[in-house]
Amino acid sequence: MFENLQDRLGSILNGLTGRGALSEADVSAALREVRRALLEADVALDVVRSFTDRVREKAVGAEILKSIKPGQMVVKIVHDELIEMLGGEGVGIDLNAPAPVVVMMVGLQGSGKTTTTAKIASRMTSRDRKKVLMASLDTRRPAAQEQLRQLGVQTGVDTLPIIAGQSPTDIAARAVQAAKLGGHDIVILDTAGRTHIDEPLMVEMAEIKKKSNPHEILLVADSLTGQDAVNLARNFDERVGITGLVLTRMDGDGRGGAALSMRAVTGKPIKLIGVGEKMGELEEFHPRRIADRILGMGDIVSLVEKAAENIDAEKAAAMAAKMAKGKFDLNDLADQLKQMQKMGGMGGIMGMMPGMAGMKDKMAAAGLNDKLFGRQLAIISSMTKAERANPDLLKHSRKKRIAAGSGTDAADINKLLKMHRQMADMMKMMGGKGKGGMMKQLMGGLAGKMGLGGGMGGMPDLSNIDPKQLEALQKQAEAAGLGRPGAMPGGLPGLGGGGGLPGLGGAKLPGLGGGFPGLPGLPKKK
């Protein structure tokens, strides 16, 4: 979503960081470009004005710390103001009320209310271990109530039985009563939408609010609608009174202006963001992490959390044991590719790595995209068990059969085998004797730079790190030079040069196997 803005701000701020001293004219010229970039990203004009005024005030009168160049100080000020614009600290859904806690979902038709209702219910059930009841109050849209019932079946969440002919206010009252009788912790009310804001809609919302007394009123807004979403939020807040926002379609190619403006205009926190169609693709909104991504500083914390959620600890342990022996067959390669797909693919991972956001375009140009992973998995799936365990068996006739089965050709199979050979060689080096193996040295080098101990040659046990420690880890990474835009022309400190992480092997990507599934101590999937 923020790619265009990221590119523009990155080039503007990189132009500043290279200079030894900055004049007021330099800062003004840079802020003019920042202002233009934000307006092009569809950020509200008054928000842009106040943002640039605050940055100018701090940048021109800033005491430049001796250890920091003036350009880097401006980057820090822009970063801090972006966090402030997005809301400072992240705010989650407040459940601190007597059960059942009523959460009311409001918004326009087509913004994704019903799907988001199911996503929130699924998240609270699986992550927070809460008993949730969903109720559809949408009596106008055909099959709206049936849609929520089907989503309830799909996610294993209770839904209120449908009674034809009931009004939305009656359904709301019945839902709260059913939740009390059924011992539910939370009841989520999915209200009706309209194609535009109108008086009957607002009157209906007010009546439902009066009848159900919701603790949270969440406005679901489509982040692709730009400035219109900001006006929508203002209207709903004035008439119904919202407590927070949920932005959907944050994985789209919109310019991100709605996300940057809404918090500043309404004063209401963005609590959750939808990042895909699947039920699990809902994330908490963390202003600092979003600001880090926009400025190309990466998002180590989210990456570690994503790894913890998606990586099977038992498979990871088995992989680590294989790596220690230097073994790596095509089954292992397939597991690695699947893990990367689960974590958002190559683009998603690169976007969260400090200083690596610019690599995405280069990799796409070299043909290293997620479609390539799909082709490689198809090739491996077309092999027999024996061939996957022992790739040396693959002679011409077998390759011909595999190519026919996977819809590829011999050249694709040869590329895959070459990639596997390079990765297998790397595994042998990593698991080799002498000084505890390369992997231990690499991990120790990174951990040393970040002031960490324990784990595999210094890698911390990620299962015991709480979110506050993860935030501290991110700050340590930034202090060690891992989190500044343009700070990593030669790769991460402690991991050798060459412009890449170990196991990501530059443009050829020979070592995807050195990736996250090998990290020790990740918590088991729930």
Side-chain angles (χ1 to χ4, degrees):
M1 163 135 301
F2 297 108
E3 280 180 10
N4 291 340
L5 186 60
Q6 185 180 328
D7 293 344
R8 286 290 302 277
L9 289 182
S11 60
I12 295 163
L13 297 174
N14 280 344
L16 291 177
T17 49
R19 302 187 195 181
L22 289 178
S23 67
E24 194 171 330
D26 291 333
V27 173
S28 294
L31 283 180
R32 240 189 338 268
E33 290 300 313
V34 168
R35 177 192 171 103
R36 192 174 291 144
L38 290 171
L39 287 172
E40 283 176 13
D42 213 8
V43 181
L45 179 61
D46 50 348
V47 176
V48 176
R49 275 194 190 131
S50 64
F51 176 82
T52 49
D53 287 347
R54 286 198 308 271
V55 173
R56 180 180 285 107
E57 193 181 312
K58 290 182 182 175
V60 172
E63 283 185 32
I64 304 300
L65 303 175
K66 285 180 183 175
S67 59
I68 297 178
K69 289 181 181 175
Q72 289 173 336
M73 194 71 184
V74 174
V75 173
K76 184 190 182 306
I77 292 166
V78 169
H79 180 246
D80 291 347
E81 287 304 323
L82 260 181
I83 294 170
E84 195 57 37
M85 188 204 289
L86 290 166
E89 291 300 315
V91 180
I93 293 176
D94 181 15
L95 301 177
N96 189 18
V101 181
V102 181
V103 178
M104 181 174 162
M105 310 293 287
V106 300
L108 291 186
Q109 202 167 301
S111 59
K113 272 197 313 304
T114 303
T115 308
T116 303
T117 299
K119 283 183 180 180
I120 293 172
S122 173
R123 181 189 179 88
M124 287 174 168
T125 304
S126 59
R127 248 183 58 153
D128 306 328
R129 299 284 183 265
K130 300 287 184 187
K131 191 178 181 187
V132 184
L133 176 69
M134 299 190 292
S136 174
L137 277 56
D138 191 348
T139 55
R140 291 172 180 81
R141 183 165 63 90
Q145 291 177 301
E146 178 60 22
Q147 182 192 353
L148 192 69
R149 192 190 70 77
Q150 293 281 4
L151 287 170
V153 171
Q154 187 184 322
T155 54
V157 176
D158 295 339
T159 52
L160 189 72
I162 300 165
I163 297 177
Q166 272 200 318
S167 71
T169 46
D170 290 342
I171 298 171
R174 183 162 62 92
V176 174
Q177 188 62 27
K180 281 178 185 169
L181 294 172
H184 291 86
D185 303 302
I186 298 154
V187 56
I188 306 179
L189 305 177
D190 175 28
T191 63
R194 296 284 190 282
T195 50
H196 62 280
I197 291 170
D198 62 5
E199 194 57 31
L201 170 70
M202 291 307 180
V203 170
E204 183 180 289
M205 297 296 156
E207 284 175 4
I208 293 167
K209 181 181 175 182
K210 194 175 172 184
K211 201 87 170 176
S212 60
N213 191 24
H215 186 62
E216 284 268 23
I217 302 176
L218 300 179
L219 172 66
V220 181
D222 186 340
S223 57
L224 300 184
T225 52
Q227 283 308 294
D228 208 36
V230 178
N231 300 329
L232 164 80
R234 199 186 272 128
N235 274 316
F236 265 99
D237 191 32
E238 285 168 3
R239 294 299 305 272
V240 186
I242 60 173
T243 59
L245 301 150
V246 181
L247 291 182
T248 58
R249 295 210 277 184
M250 285 291 283
D251 55 325
D253 56 0
R255 291 170 291 182
L260 293 172
S261 306
M262 276 182 141
R263 171 66 176 79
V265 170
T266 62
K268 306 296 178 185
I270 298 168
K271 299 202 170 189
L272 296 163
I273 51 174
V275 292
E277 293 294 318
K278 293 175 187 165
M279 281 295 121
E281 291 178 327
L282 186 76
E283 293 179 3
E284 285 174 3
F285 185 83
H286 294 279
R288 173 176 287 278
R289 300 186 198 178
I290 297 288
D292 286 352
R293 284 192 220 178
I294 291 171
L295 293 181
M297 295 178 180
D299 186 357
I300 293 277
V301 185
S302 291
L303 191 57
V304 171
E305 285 179 355
K306 210 168 223 187
E309 283 174 22
N310 287 298
I311 289 166
D312 189 319
E314 287 170 19
K315 277 191 179 179
M319 175 68 75
K322 272 194 167 187
M323 280 170 66
K325 294 175 189 171
K327 290 180 181 176
F328 188 79
D329 61 24
L330 287 167
N331 287 314
D332 300 321
L333 175 57
D335 283 343
Q336 295 282 285
L337 294 172
K338 283 173 190 167
Q339 294 284 18
M340 289 200 69
Q341 281 183 329
K342 274 189 193 172
M343 288 175 62
M346 183 56 71
I349 292 171
M350 282 293 176
M352 291 186 189
M353 293 302 300
M356 300 290 270
M359 286 286 290
K360 286 195 284 185
D361 296 336
K362 291 176 188 171
M363 288 165 57
L368 293 166
N369 54 27
D370 296 336
K371 285 182 183 172
L372 176 72
F373 290 175
R375 274 204 304 277
Q376 289 173 335
L377 284 169
I379 292 168
I380 296 170
S381 300
S382 298
M383 296 177 186
T384 64
K385 278 186 184 177
E387 288 165 349
R388 285 199 286 269
N390 183 12
D392 293 335
L393 293 173
L394 295 172
K395 303 302 179 207
H396 179 69
S397 60
R398 288 179 185 254
K399 284 181 188 175
K400 202 171 171 184
R401 188 200 81 243
I402 293 162
S406 58
T408 56
D409 55 31
D412 288 326
I413 296 168
N414 289 336
K415 278 180 197 166
L416 174 76
L417 293 175
K418 184 181 177 185
M419 177 178 161
H420 169 259
R421 269 196 307 276
Q422 289 172 321
M423 289 172 74
D425 290 344
M426 186 166 278
M427 293 303 137
K428 281 174 190 164
M429 287 166 69
M430 285 179 171
K433 305 287 185 286
K435 294 188 184 178
M438 186 197 274
M439 188 62 163
K440 247 185 176 175
Q441 291 175 50
L442 291 169
M443 289 299 190
L446 175 59
K449 286 274 179 192
M450 293 162 66
L452 300 162
M456 188 167 144
M459 197 63 191
D461 180 354
L462 299 169
S463 62
N464 297 325
I465 300 181
D466 67 26
K468 284 183 182 171
Q469 286 175 297
L470 281 171
E471 296 284 0
L473 176 64
Q474 169 87 328
K475 284 173 188 168
Q476 283 180 315
E478 287 173 21
L482 298 177
R484 295 192 308 275
M488 295 174 26
L492 290 174
L495 299 180
L501 289 170
L504 289 177
K508 289 183 186 170
L509 291 182
L512 291 170
F516 302 98
L519 289 178
L522 284 171
K524 281 191 165 117
K525 269 202 299 190
K526 289 186 174 82

